[in-house]
Amino acid sequence: MISHDSALEFHGLSDVLPDQVHLTVPPGFRKRRDRVVLHKAEIRLSDIADQAGFRVTTPLRTIADAAGSALSPEHLEVAVRDGLRLGFFRKAKLLDLALELPREAAIRLRAAIKAADNPA
């Protein structure tokens, strides 16, 4: 399913333009493809959005993935700000999400939330 930077682009979160397609696949997946970045994870049904003929992570799951990735802090901040502006999620939901994330991802997400609250 489409995830990470590719899902950011799909949902219109940030101005990230990935040069590779990012997909999340089950942990046992073994195939490799050119120009595709595979992320292995189990994804809850509630974190999946079905589209016409494909699946993509929900905006909230996409933010979680972005917080745990190498995405720049600036792009993460813009993604958070865009998601709030578009009504994909609320600040309280993002703060709850940070509690579920690994430490470094949680720190990055909280910093992005704070920066989105106080634009320069």
Side-chain angles (χ1 to χ4, degrees):
M1 102 182 47
I2 297 171
S3 64
H4 294 76
D5 294 7
S6 298
L8 286 171
E9 181 182 21
F10 175 81
H11 290 300
L13 299 173
S14 185
D15 58 355
V16 172
L17 295 172
D19 59 351
Q20 296 178 303
V21 176
H22 289 255
L23 302 174
T24 295
V25 297
F29 192 85
R30 300 253 185 253
K31 292 186 180 182
R32 294 278 179 215
R33 298 283 186 227
D34 290 338
R35 301 188 53 81
V36 174
V37 178
L38 297 179
H39 304 273
K40 294 184 179 183
E42 295 290 337
I43 297 186
R44 299 179 297 212
L45 289 176
S46 60
D47 289 337
I48 299 170
D50 283 313
Q51 299 297 317
F54 65 94
R55 289 179 162 188
V56 61
T57 53
T58 63
L60 191 62
R61 172 61 192 241
T62 300
I63 292 294
D65 290 340
S69 76
L71 186 72
S72 74
E74 295 80 16
H75 279 113
L76 182 58
E77 174 190 336
V78 172
V80 165
R81 187 178 301 119
D82 287 349
L84 291 166
R85 179 181 52 80
L86 294 168
F88 285 142
F89 38 73
R90 301 180 82 80
K91 180 180 174 183
K93 193 67 172 172
L94 290 173
L95 292 170
D96 288 345
L97 175 64
L99 297 173
E100 299 174 18
L101 297 176
R103 184 175 184 274
E104 289 302 314
I107 290 169
R108 284 174 39 90
L109 179 56
R110 286 189 192 103
I113 295 166
K114 183 177 180 179
D117 273 349
N118 304 306

